[in-house]
Amino acid sequence: MPDTSTKTTTDTAVRIEGLEFVEFAAPDPAQLVHFLEQLGFRACARHRSKNVTLYRQGEINFIVNATPGSFAQSYAQQRGASICALALRVSDANSAYQTLLARGAWEASTTAGVMELNIPALECIGGSQIYLIDRYGQDLSIYDIDFKTLPETEAPAEHLQRVSALTLNVCAGRSQEWNDFFCQLFGFSATQPGFVTSPDGALQLRFQELEGEHSDLADEGFASIELSAQDLAGTQGNLNAAGLQLRPAGPQSTKASKRSNDCYVVQHPQFDSSINFLIGR
Amino acid sequence: MTQGDNSKAPRFSISSLSLTGTLDAKLQAIAAAGFDAVELGALDLSGAKEGVNGSVERIRSSGLRISALQEVRDFGGHSGRIMAYKIELAKTYLQLMARLGCRLLIVTPATSSHASMDIDRMATDLRTLATLATLRGIRIGFKPLAWAHDVHNYPLAWEIIKRAGNTNLTLVIDSFHLLAQAQSPESLAEIPVERISLVQLSDFAISAIPALEDQIDIARHARLYPGEGSHGQSIRELVRYCQGIGYRGDYVFDVFNDKYLAQAPQDALQHAVQSRQWLLEGLN
């Protein structure tokens, strides 16, 4: 009889290879775009037919979807400026999609994605979506086909390099369930209590339990995004100069750093927004 | 008189399949009898004249909390095609349950004999179902059946739950399946209270262990309210055990009895009310 005391059955369904982009929606996209520009992002490409724009800085890709009548726009009507989707890199998107459906994932309820390409989409927390992308790397990109490069009026700043973490609001008592969701479907691992880390170690997800009357399923969703800065002090200065105030994040920082000056919260946007931006190492 | 002044007092619920009549009549009678929760069956959702939407409306307006939806049967260890069908069925239930605010879906194992059940396959299948339910905010409650070929007791069921390794997967304790095999709460000793999502109670007349075919027959037609059969004291002991480990979920009367189903709901419910009182007295 094998030792079954801690053995659990099969591995993860799929092992993701990274984060391709984060998709934002906002009731007033211009305000969100201004905020992203203050952070140092610049528009690099625009979709050929939809009101979808790619903003970049460092290795970070942000998509702002302002297409009227889109899933993103209706998400924004409910939640203000928000993260409505993540695009995750996998080695074979269609195969990963079938595997994930067979392991308990749900198809996204609307198929209107940001691209014309048939990108498989799954449902994620709070009605957000996960896209599966296998077209990435040196010579490939998903933006080649459906996006037109914008003439570079201004290059993005170089303050911020990567998306290092995301915080998800979850209902009281549901942290471990969401932990299991990301570990068992996408290959994240529970390296420290309260966090899960992507297979390549680059992205952390933190689960924050909602309390009291705000602990409704409808309140689950992305709460904050942390971006890494090589030169934290310099970045702080640059963002101040662009008109953004920062304050130390303290113990709530998503990377649980012991030193409170390792992570800063950018002032909450002055427009209706359900997410905060954090800057860390 | 409703229970619930004392947050530590057990909360009782009743399966709507224990009663006969229209869904409306049953829900009203259940509420009038002082229960604040009901366990629904799949038939409750599809059976009404107005179809599913009508049922959803009725249930929501009854004001009753829903303990669980019973059930997805014959689950786990099947071929890809059958598993895919079961998942589609589960998705339908989960979507309906989300509209109702029902947070627990009961699942039972296959009963026919397979050549040899692959315990890891069963665990994987349950893990898939638990993952599916997570997105809808619903837990899966797995329940062994005394007559199942492979998963027929709580230690085996708990082993599979552990292997599945998904927090959204829990156990449903049904006193019938314990008592039909003359098992005491000791067989639950390994199971942490946070993995017990529901306790179902029923009594029956035979004092000896019934043969398998008889178990099925009694379970479907001749269950009794706790205290009316030969196992009342054992059921009181089970409730004391659950209270003692800190279980604060519902205790559901799952009493499927042809005689009671021939009565009007208000009359059948008198048995439930008396049994509830008798169980509460057994705790003092």
Side-chain angles (χ1 to χ4, degrees):
Chain A
M1 182 78 180
D3 173 27
T4 56
S5 53
T6 52
K7 176 186 162 200
T8 60
T9 188
T10 59
D11 263 335
T12 179
V14 158
R15 208 165 292 276
I16 65 159
E17 298 180 0
L19 177 66
E20 176 60 42
F21 66 74
V22 178
E23 181 182 346
F24 292 84
D28 183 343
Q31 288 183 315
L32 173 64
V33 164
H34 176 64
F35 188 83
L36 294 180
E37 288 173 344
Q38 286 177 293
L39 287 170
F41 290 87
R42 293 294 178 266
C44 295
R46 184 153 291 140
H47 196 279
R48 291 178 191 282
S49 56
K50 304 187 194 184
N51 191 343
V52 170
T53 309
L54 172 65
Y55 291 83
R56 280 193 157 137
Q57 184 176 177
E59 295 165 35
I60 306 167
N61 295 321
F62 282 167
I63 293 274
V64 175
N65 186 346
T67 308
S70 63
F71 149 75
Q73 274 308 95
S74 66
Y75 202 82
Q77 294 311 320
Q78 290 164 38
R79 298 192 179 236
S82 47
I83 291 173
C84 61
L86 300 180
L88 303 178
R89 293 175 170 181
V90 294
S91 64
D92 179 337
N94 286 319
S95 161
Y97 181 65
Q98 295 305 327
T99 301
L100 288 161
L101 290 180
R103 299 286 288 273
W106 293 71
E107 301 177 3
S109 55
T110 72
T111 51
V114 284
M115 317 287 188
E116 307 288 1
L117 289 177
N118 193 12
I119 292 183
L122 298 169
E123 191 178 336
C124 191
I125 190 168
S128 66
Q129 297 187 353
I130 285 176
Y131 308 124
L132 303 172
I133 306 290
D134 55 18
R135 191 183 166 80
Y136 63 90
Q138 292 285 38
D139 301 320
L140 292 177
S141 102
I142 44 167
Y143 317 107
D144 288 344
I145 294 175
D146 298 318
F147 282 68
K148 289 189 309 240
T149 307
L150 291 173
E152 292 200 34
T153 47
E154 203 182 336
E158 289 171 8
H159 319 314
L160 306 172
Q161 279 79 50
R162 293 185 304 106
V163 177
S164 51
L166 291 161
T167 300
L168 284 67
N169 281 337
V170 303
C171 283
R174 298 235 309 150
S175 295
Q176 193 56 43
E177 281 82 344
W178 278 109
N179 183 314
D180 289 343
F181 181 88
F182 284 99
C183 291
Q184 294 174 7
L185 286 181
F186 298 103
F188 284 74
S189 49
T191 43
Q192 309 172 52
F195 291 74
V196 297
T197 307
S198 61
D200 67 356
L203 178 67
Q204 279 192 357
L205 301 181
R206 176 178 177 249
F207 307 103
Q208 183 164 271
E209 293 199 357
L210 295 162
E211 285 174 27
E213 74 254 19
H214 295 298
S215 182
D216 197 70
L217 278 175
D219 297 315
E220 292 192 330
F222 292 100
S224 70
I225 180 167
E226 182 175 325
L227 307 173
S228 68
Q230 264 167 1
D231 174 8
L232 203 47
T235 296
Q236 194 179 2
N238 290 321
L239 296 185
N240 286 339
L244 292 176
Q245 297 306 309
L246 280 67
R247 59 173 174 80
Q252 274 93 24
S253 91
T254 59
K255 297 196 85 170
S257 78
K258 302 258 177 354
R259 292 160 26 215
S260 63
N261 61 355
D262 263 16
C263 188
Y264 293 87
V265 186
V266 179
Q267 73 192 54
H268 189 75
Q270 281 167 344
F271 48 90
D272 177 19
S273 174
S274 56
I275 36 159
N276 278 314
F277 287 76
L278 282 75
I279 314 288
R281 291 196 190 283
Chain B
M1 175 192 83
T2 56
Q3 74 276 356
D5 298 332
N6 177 356
S7 66
K8 290 218 176 70
R11 303 188 308 186
F12 289 95
S13 172
I14 182 163
S15 168
S16 76
L17 301 178
S18 298
L19 304 170
T20 203
T22 63
L23 184 58
D24 244 357
K26 291 198 281 189
L27 296 176
Q28 282 180 38
I30 288 170
F35 290 91
D36 60 6
V38 62
E39 180 187 89
L40 296 175
L43 284 177
D44 290 319
L45 297 179
S46 55
K49 275 199 321 261
E50 312 88 332
V52 164
N53 287 327
S55 301
V56 169
E57 269 324 296
R58 273 166 173 40
I59 294 163
R60 289 173 75 140
S61 57
S62 73
L64 292 168
R65 197 163 42 71
I66 307 169
S67 304
L69 179 70
Q70 181 152 249
E71 65 195 271
V72 171
R73 338 178 110 155
D74 190 31
F75 184 84
H78 292 296
S79 71
R81 222 161 46 88
I82 297 181
M83 175 64 175
Y85 164 74
K86 296 281 179 190
I87 291 298
E88 283 310 303
L89 181 67
K91 284 165 86 166
T92 304
Y93 286 165
L94 291 169
Q95 285 166 313
L96 279 171
M97 291 167 70
R99 286 168 62 192
L100 288 168
C102 173
R103 307 285 295 262
L104 180 65
L105 176 61
I106 299 176
V107 176
T108 51
T111 53
S112 65
S113 59
H114 298 290
S116 65
M117 187 191 69
D118 180 347
I119 206 179
D120 283 325
R121 170 79 161 280
M122 183 76 191
T124 303
D125 289 348
L126 282 170
R127 175 190 263 208
T128 296
L129 190 53
T131 301
L132 195 72
T134 296
L135 211 57
R136 298 271 78 84
I138 292 166
R139 285 197 297 176
I140 297 296
F142 181 64
K143 177 169 102 160
L145 301 174
W147 54 82
H149 187 263
D150 299 294
V151 199
H152 56 82
N153 64 35
Y154 281 95
L156 286 170
W158 174 235
E159 183 57 38
I160 293 176
I161 301 286
K162 278 195 296 184
R163 291 230 195 167
N166 187 297
T167 310
N168 202 39
L169 182 59
T170 63
L171 279 171
V172 171
I173 311 298
D174 182 344
S175 68
F176 184 87
H177 297 286
L178 276 175
L179 300 172
Q181 300 175 83
Q183 291 177 348
S184 71
E186 255 106 63
S187 69
L188 307 177
E190 295 291 307
I191 305 168
V193 64
E194 58 271 12
R195 304 305 286 278
I196 297 175
S197 49
L198 196 70
V199 177
Q200 296 172 322
L201 303 175
S202 58
D203 203 339
F204 56 98
I206 300 180
S207 50
I209 296 179
L212 278 182
E213 318 80 72
D214 294 334
Q215 286 176 14
I216 296 175
D217 198 60
I218 297 167
R220 292 182 182 160
H221 302 284
R223 298 197 196 204
L224 298 168
Y225 286 93
E228 296 181 328
S230 303
H231 306 272
Q233 292 307 332
S234 297
I235 297 170
R236 274 178 159 178
E237 189 194 339
L238 175 64
V239 175
R240 274 196 297 272
Y241 172 83
C242 293
Q243 290 294 102
I245 60 171
Y247 174 75
R248 295 294 174 262
D250 290 333
Y251 293 91
V252 185
F253 289 133
D254 263 47
V255 176
F256 315 122
N257 182 301
D258 289 350
K259 282 188 332 215
Y260 295 153
L261 287 173
Q263 297 176 357
Q266 306 85 300
D267 299 332
L269 275 162
Q270 286 317 302
H271 297 270
V273 168
Q274 282 166 26
S275 180
R276 182 178 74 201
Q277 185 57 32
W278 185 80
L279 285 171
L280 286 169
E281 283 161 10
L283 287 176
N284 297 331

